Amino acid sequence: DAVEAIIGAIYLDTDMDTARGFILSWFKERLDKLDLNESMKDSKTRLQEFLQSRRLALPEYELMNVEGEAHDQTFYIDCRVEGLKKAEKGIGSSRRQAEQEAAKNALIALQVEK
C-alpha cells in the first residue's frame, strides 16, 4: 500500500512518464528476469493441478521441524506425493516458503519441471 501511495503521489505531482520512470528504476531487475513463457502459478498450485489432472491424491505437507528464534525461524517440510517413493523436502524462512520449495522438488522428482 505504501509503494502504491508513493507512486500515486509521484504521478499526481508530475506526470505518467515520470512515475513510469520511477517504477521501472525500482523494479527493472525483477521485470528483466520475468519469463513470459513461464507459468505465473506457484509450485504448490502447479503440483496440485498436475496430480488432479491424473486423478491422483493431493500432496500431503508435514511440518518436520522448526529451528531458531521466533523472529528468525527456519521451517522444514516434507511433501508426500503418490507416485514418489520418498517425501520431498523443503526448507524456508516461513512455512509457506518451505512448502513451496518442497512442492517444487516434488515437481522435479516427477519430471514435470527441471
Side-chain angles (χ1 to χ4, degrees), residues 2-63:
V3 173
E4 183 179 346
I6 292 168
I7 293 168
I10 293 169
Y11 169 72
L12 291 174
D13 282 353
T14 59
D15 56 24
M16 180 58 88
D17 290 333
T18 304
R20 181 181 295 115
F22 275 98
I23 294 167
L24 292 176
S25 71
W26 293 338
F27 298 104
K28 181 173 181 12
E29 188 176 317
R30 290 178 109 182
L31 292 170
D32 288 343
K33 290 180 183 177
L34 287 178
D35 180 358
L36 297 178
N37 295 319
E38 189 176 300
S39 171
M40 296 302 287
K41 294 179 183 177
D42 64 40
S43 296
K44 284 181 69 174
T45 301
R46 289 194 314 271
L47 177 59
Q48 182 172 324
E49 289 177 352
F50 174 81
L51 295 172
Q52 286 178 324
S53 71
R54 285 153 181 78
R55 300 187 189 275
L56 298 172
L58 295 178
E60 295 179 16
Y61 298 93
E62 182 179 356
L63 178 62

Side-chain angles (χ1 to χ4, degrees), residues 79-96:
C79 175
R80 288 180 179 72
V81 175
E82 189 176 329
L84 294 179
K85 293 181 181 179
K86 66 179 183 74
E88 292 300 321
K89 304 198 178 304
I91 301 171
S93 58
S94 69
R95 183 177 181 141
R96 175 171 159 56

